[in-house]
Amino acid sequence: MIVLALLTAVADPPQPIERCGYRIVQTYPHDTTSFTQGLFWDGGHLYEATGQYGRSRVARLDLKTGKAVAQTKLPSNQFGEGITRWRDQIIGVTWQGGVGNRWRIKDLKPVGTFSYAGEGWGVTMVGDSLVLSDGTSQLRFFDPATMTEQKRVTVRFGSRPLAMLNELETINGEVWANVWMTDMIVRIDPASGHIRSYIDLSGLKEQAGARGSDSVLNGIAWDAKQKRLFVTGKYWPKLYEIALADCG
């Protein structure tokens, strides 16, 4: 099993790190053409960013139908990655171009761009900082107004760094991260980088009917008002509301 193999490879923690299972609360449709890179919930809608050159977009989705009620395409030379809300904007990053975008959340109209070094994978807000994952074991903290880098924190499973951190979401002060090419979401203390627990979502891809090596788990959204947790994957035909099971 991918999760167990990865954990065996990366760490032998001095204290056990709690494993959480899951149960499906509700199932919703998801666009199978969406190479999901970023996901968040705001004001009654899901917002999704997708990747692939010439097909990347940011969209406001209707949860019940999975269809876009508004969308803006990225330039064809940009490979879209994660998105997050900051004030009245959506901030998004791209994979290898070093270019980030800003859109007005009310109408998804572009309002500016910025540049940064390295790759862009996932983004989320932690307090007043924008946190970026870049495929390494580090989380990078930025001032979202200026995109000046503030600090870096290394994510560790036990004593060893854990790389391939992808889509990010902040839930109750923790940074939750998909680990690329696995069925695992890790729950990270953003101050120390230590992984507090992980969620094993083995079997969910198969349940969704997703096929192919690219169709990996990716996408975490948290409805803080109603305490709902949503997950999906690249090219998945389904999006799930799930609840954690067998853990604290």
Side-chain angles (χ1 to χ4, degrees):
M1 191 164 61
I2 292 176
V3 170
L4 295 180
L6 184 144
L7 297 185
T8 300
V10 301
D12 181 17
Q15 295 181 345
I17 294 177
E18 186 176 38
R19 172 195 172 278
C20 298
Y22 68 96
R23 62 179 177 85
I24 297 171
V25 177
Q26 187 62 267
T27 303
Y28 300 94
H30 182 249
D31 185 349
T32 55
T33 68
S34 291
F35 191 78
T36 305
Q37 301 285 63
L39 198 69
F40 71 85
W41 178 270
D42 186 84
H45 291 281
L46 280 168
Y47 290 81
E48 183 179 47
T50 65
Q52 302 292 13
Y53 291 110
R55 295 171 55 192
S56 297
R57 68 172 186 172
V58 59
R60 181 186 299 119
L61 306 180
D62 177 76
L63 177 63
K64 292 183 179 180
T65 66
K67 297 184 181 299
V69 295
Q71 66 176 348
T72 296
K73 293 184 177 181
L74 275 65
S76 60
N77 64 344
Q78 292 185 15
F79 192 113
E81 289 278 351
I83 53 172
T84 191
R85 177 171 184 171
W86 175 66
R87 297 182 179 174
D88 62 348
Q89 296 179 6
I90 296 173
I91 296 179
V93 292
T94 58
W95 179 29
Q96 294 182 318
V99 176
N101 294 288
R102 300 177 188 269
W103 302 271
R104 282 192 312 221
I105 195 166
K106 69 177 182 179
D107 56 14
L108 304 187
K109 298 297 184 184
V111 293
T113 62
F114 57 89
S115 61
Y116 55 92
E119 296 187 1
W121 286 38
V123 285
T124 189
M125 291 298 301
V126 175
D128 294 328
S129 296
L130 181 142
V131 178
L132 168 75
S133 62
D134 60 6
T136 71
S137 61
Q138 293 189 323
L139 294 178
R140 300 164 60 188
F141 290 69
F142 292 83
D143 178 338
T146 65
M147 289 306 294
T148 301
E149 188 166 344
Q150 300 165 324
K151 65 176 182 178
R152 301 189 180 198
V153 173
T154 299
V155 175
R156 298 181 184 275
F157 193 96
S159 61
R160 299 190 184 182
L162 180 64
M164 297 298 193
L165 304 172
N166 206 351
E167 146 78 342
L168 305 178
E169 178 78 1
T170 301
I171 304 175
N172 297 328
E174 295 177 332
V175 173
W176 292 33
N178 286 119
V179 182
W180 186 50
M181 297 301 292
T182 79
D183 299 315
M184 180 169 66
I185 293 173
V186 292
R187 299 164 66 180
I188 306 162
D189 176 353
S192 66
H194 292 151
I195 293 171
R196 293 170 169 169
S197 63
Y198 69 96
I199 306 160
D200 183 353
L201 291 171
S202 296
L204 196 60
K205 174 181 174 178
E206 290 73 19
Q207 205 280 341
R211 300 286 185 269
S213 59
D214 283 342
S215 300
V216 296
L217 181 75
N218 202 47
I220 310 166
W222 174 242
D223 176 2
K225 191 171 184 179
Q226 297 190 47
K227 310 299 181 188
R228 295 187 296 176
L229 174 62
F230 301 101
V231 296
T232 192
K234 303 174 189 291
Y235 300 140
W236 283 23
K238 296 178 182 177
L239 176 141
Y240 296 97
E241 179 190 347
I242 64 168
L244 302 191
D246 305 319
C247 69

